[in-house]
Amino acid sequence: QVTVRDALNQALDEEMERDERVFLLGEEVAQYDGAYKISRGLWKKYGDKRVMDTPISEMGFAGIAVGAAMVWLRPVCEFMTFNFSMQAIDQVINSAAKTCYMSAGAISVPVVFRGPNGAAAGVGAQHSQCFAAWYGHCPGLKVLSPWSSEDCKGLLKASIRDDNPVVMLENELLYGVPFEMSEQAQSKDFIVPIGKAKIEREGTHVTLVSHSRPVGHCMEAAAVLAKEGVECEVESFSFFFQVINLRTIRPMDIEAVEASVVKTNHLVTVEGGWPQFGVGAEICARIMEGSAFNYLDAPAVRVTGADVPMPYAKILEDNCIPQVKDIIFAVKKVLNI
């Protein structure tokens, strides 16, 4: 078993060893080993030129990362939380995402923006926002939202090797969670293809689609429902679930969702973000516009975070984040049981 934290650390170490153009920058990533210890040991191994502490100036160090990528280095830019990426969103969108298109393909920007995304625990509204829909909205970016250790290692390695800007939305509450990792996944050659969802659990009655931490909630809900005689397919986009693990928000593997809906005839999407213009809304729209719509036996149902800024009080916070019971309720609603 390997924790998500150690899987990310392995990916960074292996890619920095493989390619001397790869370097890491961000707040406290060097001498302090990272705020979440993702970069533990890397500064001692690779030194100041490859692992760089920055001032608390997201626009500044994100701009440095984009500029370095334009001259064909491969920076990994860590935001201590993606809520702080709003300070640098001009660099992420206008400088990184649009440059390849605006230069007619002459300038690639192989930069990775990564860090914790969405709600943690007891950190208030300014630190609890999910940016999957924000960044997934923008052409020119690849947007990832992994769940398991295998997702995190394979997708981070794929992101660093990609010639396009990538936003990798991790989850702080998953960093210390251990997952089984196959011998293949622990190989230095292991990558997870960007844009491919993963079926985490086979089923026949309902498709659950999710990404990031809610994938685990979908798995728990599927286990509870299976005991009651309802088999779920869960898809997660490490984004969302047949159980399908989406895994990638942009480009979205809508083909995997469509194939699952054709099989199960029911769809429930689960996400931690707000409902309006969310990832689940996009999935529902894409299914409605495609041929899989004809296979639905009931309207698709979305399970999302509450449409309010995140409260600080724990009991209110719990009621703002999708729980297993909410997924079970949605499944029973769509199946009319």
Side-chain angles (χ1 to χ4, degrees):
Q1 289 202 332
V2 178
T3 65
V4 167
R5 174 182 291 110
D6 289 339
L8 291 165
N9 181 266
Q10 283 179 24
L12 287 168
D13 188 13
E14 291 170 8
E15 292 306 301
M16 291 178 75
E17 187 177 80
R18 175 180 174 272
D19 188 343
E20 64 181 12
R21 296 174 298 170
V22 178
F23 70 97
L24 175 66
L25 74 164
E27 296 153 351
E28 299 182 349
V29 299
Q31 296 185 41
Y32 188 66
D33 280 342
Y36 302 100
K37 300 298 179 272
I38 305 301
S39 55
R40 184 177 57 236
L42 298 181
W43 175 67
K44 289 181 180 177
K45 183 173 181 179
Y46 295 103
D48 291 325
K49 291 187 177 181
R50 303 284 301 280
V51 185
M52 304 177 185
D53 280 331
T54 64
I56 304 174
S57 176
E58 282 76 15
M59 177 173 277
F61 66 75
I64 290 170
V66 172
M70 287 180 177
V71 293
W72 215 242
L73 295 175
R74 292 188 174 269
V76 179
C77 176
E78 177 179 306
F79 294 120
M80 195 176 288
T81 162
F82 258 91
N83 297 270
F84 301 160
S85 75
M86 283 189 285
Q87 299 288 334
I89 202 162
D90 179 55
Q91 301 288 8
V92 177
I93 304 301
N94 284 325
S95 299
K98 299 176 182 177
T99 292
C100 184
Y101 175 82
M102 294 181 73
S103 67
I107 304 174
S108 295
V109 189
V111 60
V112 179
F113 300 102
R114 53 153 297 271
N117 170 70
V123 291
Q126 298 99 325
H127 301 80
S128 300
Q129 190 169 328
C130 176
F131 285 86
W134 277 50
Y135 288 118
H137 179 67
C138 302
L141 291 177
K142 294 185 178 181
V143 183
L144 314 179
S145 186
W147 171 52
S148 66
S149 298
E150 190 169 300
D151 292 345
C152 288
K153 180 179 179 181
L155 286 171
L156 181 53
K157 287 170 72 73
S159 301
I160 292 170
R161 298 182 190 189
D162 201 286
D163 289 338
N164 301 283
V166 178
V167 171
M168 183 154 162
L169 305 170
E170 301 152 12
N171 187 285
E172 177 183 337
L173 297 178
L174 288 176
Y175 282 150
V177 177
F179 289 87
E180 293 285 344
M181 274 185 76
S182 65
E183 191 173 331
Q184 177 192 8
Q186 295 186 59
S187 159
K188 290 185 178 182
D189 298 322
F190 175 75
I191 63 168
V192 170
I194 293 173
K196 292 295 181 183
K198 180 184 178 183
I199 297 175
E200 300 286 353
R201 180 188 178 108
E202 293 284 354
T204 54
H205 289 93
V206 62
T207 295
L208 286 169
V209 182
S210 180
H211 66 108
S212 191
R213 187 166 175 254
V215 173
H217 294 150
C218 288
M219 295 292 282
E220 290 181 44
V224 171
L225 290 163
K227 292 178 183 176
E228 299 180 14
V230 180
E231 276 296 330
C232 295
E233 285 203 54
V234 181
E235 298 189 12
S236 125
F237 315 151
S238 318
F239 160 56
F240 299 135
F241 301 34
Q242 231 175 72
V243 177
I244 301 172
N245 177 358
L246 268 185
R247 300 196 293 200
T248 304
I249 307 298
R250 184 182 187 104
M252 186 181 291
D253 190 359
I254 200 66
E255 292 82 7
V257 182
E258 288 177 331
S260 182
V261 169
V262 167
K263 178 180 176 181
T264 68
N265 310 119
H266 298 91
L267 173 64
V268 175
T269 69
V270 185
E271 64 188 305
W274 293 316
Q276 189 155 317
F277 314 117
V279 175
E282 174 66 15
I283 294 168
C284 291
R286 300 275 285 274
I287 292 298
M288 185 187 74
E289 292 167 352
S291 59
F293 174 75
N294 299 308
Y295 290 84
L296 283 175
D297 288 343
V301 172
R302 292 180 295 155
V303 179
T304 72
D307 195 22
V308 296
M310 185 63 68
Y312 175 75
K314 184 176 184 345
I315 190 169
L316 296 177
E317 183 181 66
D318 288 344
N319 278 282
C320 283
I321 300 171
Q323 307 292 337
V324 172
K325 63 181 176 61
D326 302 315
I327 300 169
I328 292 172
F329 177 83
V331 169
K332 290 184 174 181
K333 177 182 178 182
V334 79
L335 291 174
N336 195 28
I337 58 175

